[in-house]
Amino acid sequence: MDRFVWASGLLEINETLVIQQRGVRLYDGDDKTKFDLGTVLLSTHRLLWRDHKKHDCCIALPLSQIIFFEEQAAGIGKSAKIVVHLQPVTLNKEPGPYQSSKYSYIKLSFKEHGQIEFYRRLSEELSQKRWERISVSQPMQSPSRSQAGKVKAVGIVGIERKLEEKRKETDKNISEAFEDLSQLMKKAKEMVDLSKLIANKIKDKQGDISEDETIRFKSYLLSMGIANPVTRETHGSGTHYHLQLAKQLVEMLQVPVEEQGGMMALTEVYCLTNRARGMELLSPEDLVNACKMFEALNLPMRLRIFDSGVMVVQLQSHSEDEMIASAVETVSEKGFVSSEEYAKLVGISVLLAKERLLLAEKVGHLCRDDSVESLRFYPNLFLTQD
Amino acid sequence: MSFEWPWQYNFPPFYTLQPNVNTQRKQLAAWCSLVLSYLRYHKLYTIDVLEVQESSLFHNKKIQRKLPIEAIQVVFEELRKKGNLEWIDKNKTRCLIMWRRPEEWGKLVYQWVSKNAMTNSVFTFYELCNGDDTEGEEFHGLEEWLLLRALQSLQAERKAEIITLNDSKGVKFF
């Protein structure tokens, strides 16, 4: 460990980062060091380690000092390690964390795994020895332990320094932001454990699930947009949330649906509303439940499900008969149409065009011609002629 | 006079089995009538299903439409229900077509017999179907199996009796 020097954590010019890995502890030979949780970074020139909380605590050693390295497999309660054997200390080495060490090797302990890739990259770098070919220049900062805080600067050097500082800050912010994600993962784990517990209890039919656990469970599920599974409620009763949502949807959809001719596929509605909302996105489940409430709330829109299963939102004023009559007229003029042709003629989606033609066929105004060419619709001469 | 195709023959949807129940009913009725008049025109009494599939009856080359085999089966089932068709084999590959039902044939034969005041006479089947006397009659050229059924229906009405002659069948009218 006495081969390490204090570093700023900044990469030198022409030095490139190859790989980094979190959750690494350093060992001086076989002894644990106080550097027990951090990120190990491999660059083209150096091996660095930075404390995961105190980012200004950073140490480095040149790759040229590495003689060879080997894997140490994980054991029970022990993480996998890479053992790095080092050359003797150079005489005019910069100050580092250890003045001396009785070991000529260190260990990197990968508590969060990642050792395989790191090992591979380290092998690559040590065989390529890029540090011999690419010369680096020191970043404009004293090699001693860097200070957090403002850096005084003048001229181009100063600008460069400021940029570096900014980059470091951004890096820090990103890591902090992702810490929230790790919190989320922790919470998800809690929920998974809870659901497993409940599932097991139900399976064993052992004892009662406590009221508290049930409530917690239900609240998790609701927050994910899943309806209460215990009572198997359907949209029938609806929740207050869906009620409000339904009103909001109608307001928002009035104009777009009108423009589309009074009918819009539910998938389009989903895309439209979520794009408009931007942040608090709707789950498909919530959307469908809200739409199902339109009729009950006397709103001027309806959720309609065709025989084929296609769901659309339709203006209440939309007259089906008018639509069918106009479809039949169009088909008669053209002799026959396919769904695609009709969609283009009227300016609606192919899906809705097909539904309208199928509807006209259902009431007997159109008949179909299904051949290798395509599915076409004709006026129903079987019923009108002779 | 060449065979006159009905307007449906050149209407492409005619060759797709219609999903709408009412439409289908009309469609099948049109097909049944077309099949019967076509076979009557060509004086055909038996059909091989695979052969007839490719014939101009079910395949309109001009509009490039063919009635698919499943639909042909549906049409034939309709004809069977109406009494115009009988399957010869279990696999439904060949069938007998009676574009006139046996009773109707029976009536025609008896009419001719009465008109010519030939009741109480005896005729062989061959004479009736292929004899010079019956040329020009509609039942001339009738296949013997069908004549037999026609006469059987007359027999049921006690207007005829089928008798076996030396090596053929005959009939006596009353």
Side-chain angles (χ1 to χ4, degrees):
Chain A
M1 277 302 293
D2 55 346
R3 282 36 159 201
F4 274 99
V5 300
W6 291 115
S8 64
L10 300 174
L11 291 178
E12 293 165 17
I13 299 163
N14 290 330
E15 182 185 11
T16 326
L17 182 64
V18 172
I19 186 175
Q20 59 181 319
Q21 178 58 46
R22 298 161 29 125
V24 176
R25 166 191 271 154
L26 294 182
Y27 284 69
D28 180 30
D30 290 322
D31 302 335
K32 287 186 189 173
T33 65
K34 61 178 177 164
F35 302 107
D36 70 330
L37 194 65
T39 307
V40 67
L41 302 98
L42 174 67
S43 79
T44 45
H45 294 66
R46 298 180 289 167
L47 183 71
L48 303 99
W49 184 95
R50 182 171 63 213
D51 187 283
H52 98 283
K53 282 224 168 69
K54 295 177 283 164
H55 284 204
D56 45 319
C57 171
C58 184
I59 52 178
L61 73 85
L63 293 180
S64 50
Q65 291 245 282
I66 299 178
I67 306 175
F68 80 99
F69 62 100
E70 57 191 346
E71 276 180 274
Q72 190 181 322
I76 305 166
K78 291 180 198 286
S79 315
K81 300 180 178 57
I82 294 180
V83 185
V84 185
H85 296 264
L86 303 164
Q87 307 228 2
V89 179
T90 52
L91 283 170
N92 41 358
K93 179 182 137 301
E94 302 282 350
Y98 281 63
Q99 299 295 33
S100 64
S101 166
K102 62 180 192 230
Y103 297 102
S104 60
Y105 63 96
I106 59 159
K107 291 192 198 178
L108 309 171
S109 173
F110 291 81
K111 289 155 91 170
E112 288 180 30
H113 306 286
Q115 68 273 13
I116 298 171
E117 189 61 18
F118 199 87
Y119 185 94
R120 189 175 77 78
R121 293 306 191 93
L122 189 54
S123 308
E124 256 176 47
E125 289 309 314
L126 286 180
S127 63
Q128 281 178 22
K129 293 199 199 317
R130 283 195 269 180
W131 66 84
E132 285 178 3
R133 286 179 280 129
I134 308 167
S135 61
V136 296
S137 35
Q138 296 283 337
M140 306 301 168
Q141 236 184 21
S142 62
S144 58
R145 203 193 303 203
S146 66
Q147 310 273 336
K150 273 172 98 178
V151 179
K152 278 206 222 157
V154 218
I156 297 180
V157 162
I159 296 172
E160 279 181 347
R161 238 181 260 177
K162 284 214 185 96
L163 284 173
E164 265 306 335
E165 267 297 317
K166 212 174 182 181
R167 188 195 69 79
K168 230 172 119 190
E169 265 295 309
T170 319
D171 200 37
K172 191 163 136 208
N173 286 338
I174 290 175
S175 316
E176 272 173 10
F178 277 109
E179 260 172 45
D180 290 337
L181 201 64
S182 61
Q183 283 297 319
L184 179 67
M185 303 275 272
K186 254 192 233 158
K187 268 273 173 286
K189 188 169 181 308
E190 267 177 42
M191 200 182 103
V192 168
D193 288 341
L194 181 62
S195 67
K196 274 198 197 140
L197 180 72
I198 291 179
N200 283 334
K201 278 200 178 158
I202 293 173
K203 203 166 53 163
D204 301 338
K205 291 194 192 157
Q206 229 173 47
D208 297 312
I209 307 168
S210 77
E211 177 92 47
D212 183 42
E213 279 171 350
T214 317
I215 291 175
R216 264 173 70 199
F217 191 52
K218 280 192 204 175
S219 76
Y220 281 142
L221 292 178
L222 262 177
S223 69
M224 291 207 307
I226 302 170
N228 190 334
V230 178
T231 62
R232 292 192 193 281
E233 267 173 41
T234 58
H235 67 283
S237 48
T239 66
H240 184 72
Y241 170 61
H242 290 141
L243 217 120
Q244 298 295 21
L245 188 57
K247 293 187 189 156
Q248 195 185 59
L249 279 172
V250 169
E251 241 182 79
M252 204 196 71
L253 291 172
Q254 188 75 24
V255 174
V257 173
E258 252 174 48
E259 280 176 5
Q260 278 236 2
M263 197 188 276
M264 191 186 280
L266 198 61
T267 45
E268 270 182 74
V269 170
Y270 177 77
C271 292
L272 218 71
T273 51
N274 276 335
R275 210 182 299 146
R277 287 166 78 96
M279 282 298 283
E280 287 179 290
L281 302 181
L282 282 179
S283 73
E285 178 92 19
D286 282 334
L287 180 67
V288 173
N289 285 338
C291 289
K292 283 181 181 168
M293 297 183 79
F294 284 160
E295 191 148 358
L297 295 174
N298 270 324
L299 295 166
M301 287 201 185
R302 291 282 178 275
L303 176 68
R304 182 172 168 185
I305 305 177
F306 285 106
D307 295 334
S308 56
V310 169
M311 297 206 261
V312 298
V313 166
Q314 185 180 308
L315 288 180
Q316 209 203 338
S317 57
H318 173 102
S319 158
E320 203 52 58
D321 296 329
E322 258 178 50
M323 288 295 128
I324 291 176
S326 97
V328 175
E329 215 185 290
T330 313
V331 174
S332 305
E333 275 172 32
K334 293 273 164 185
F336 62 85
V337 290
S338 67
S339 311
E340 293 81 15
E341 287 164 13
Y342 185 63
K344 220 185 269 184
L345 279 170
V346 182
I348 59 178
S349 69
V350 176
L351 190 70
L352 289 187
K354 186 156 185 201
E355 288 303 326
R356 195 173 290 173
L357 293 171
L358 286 175
L359 213 61
E361 182 192 43
K362 196 165 159 193
V363 293
H365 292 314
L366 293 179
C367 59
R368 66 167 64 188
D369 166 40
D370 206 347
S371 69
V372 287
E373 292 165 38
S374 64
L375 176 60
R376 295 184 184 150
F377 290 88
Y378 284 72
N380 190 356
L381 298 179
F382 291 114
L383 293 184
T384 55
Q385 207 142 322
D386 64 42
Chain B
M1 191 178 89
S2 67
F3 185 70
E4 264 186 47
W5 298 101
W7 68 266
Q8 290 97 334
Y9 186 66
N10 289 310
F11 186 47
F14 197 43
Y15 298 83
T16 306
L17 195 60
Q18 295 297 319
N20 180 307
V21 169
N22 294 329
T23 315
Q24 194 187 100
R25 204 178 299 139
K26 285 273 179 161
Q27 182 192 24
L28 287 178
W31 268 115
C32 286
S33 133
L34 172 58
V35 169
L36 291 178
S37 50
Y38 179 89
L39 295 173
R40 179 195 195 134
Y41 179 84
H42 292 277
K43 292 227 177 205
L44 296 170
Y45 300 95
T46 50
I47 306 185
D48 179 292
V49 178
L50 288 173
E51 254 180 54
V52 81
Q53 207 186 346
E54 290 303 321
S55 73
S56 58
L57 173 58
F58 291 116
H59 184 171
N60 184 337
K61 292 209 170 97
K62 197 173 80 174
I63 61 168
Q64 292 181 336
R65 291 285 184 277
K66 236 162 93 162
L67 191 66
I69 186 75
E70 303 83 22
I72 296 181
Q73 300 280 13
V74 175
V75 173
F76 280 7
E77 177 59 18
E78 275 302 302
L79 286 169
R80 190 195 66 81
K81 278 194 236 166
K82 284 176 31 184
N84 294 104
L85 184 149
E86 235 179 67
W87 289 108
I88 297 178
D89 62 331
K90 244 189 289 193
N91 295 330
K92 300 200 179 171
T93 57
R94 303 189 75 232
C95 57
L96 304 170
I97 287 281
M98 294 159 277
W99 33 270
R100 226 188 219 122
R101 292 204 320 279
E103 299 79 27
E104 293 165 342
W105 284 121
K107 220 191 243 167
L108 282 175
V109 171
Y110 194 77
Q111 264 171 19
W112 176 79
V113 166
S114 321
K115 202 171 65 180
N116 289 301
M118 288 197 252
T119 47
N120 282 313
S121 332
V122 174
F123 294 88
T124 63
F125 279 24
Y126 185 78
E127 275 178 312
L128 286 174
C129 294
N130 302 95
D132 296 330
D133 294 333
T134 63
E135 232 179 275
E137 293 303 313
E138 276 194 62
F139 54 83
H140 185 87
L142 198 65
E143 285 183 9
E144 282 203 13
W145 64 269
L146 192 47
L147 179 66
L148 176 61
R149 294 199 193 189
L151 297 174
Q152 277 169 339
S153 79
L154 284 178
Q155 186 165 263
E157 292 175 35
R158 297 193 193 286
K159 288 187 176 160
E161 192 186 320
I162 300 169
I163 44 189
T164 334
L165 304 167
N166 295 343
D167 52 353
S168 59
K169 285 210 163 57
V171 59
K172 180 173 175 178
F173 293 98
F174 302 117

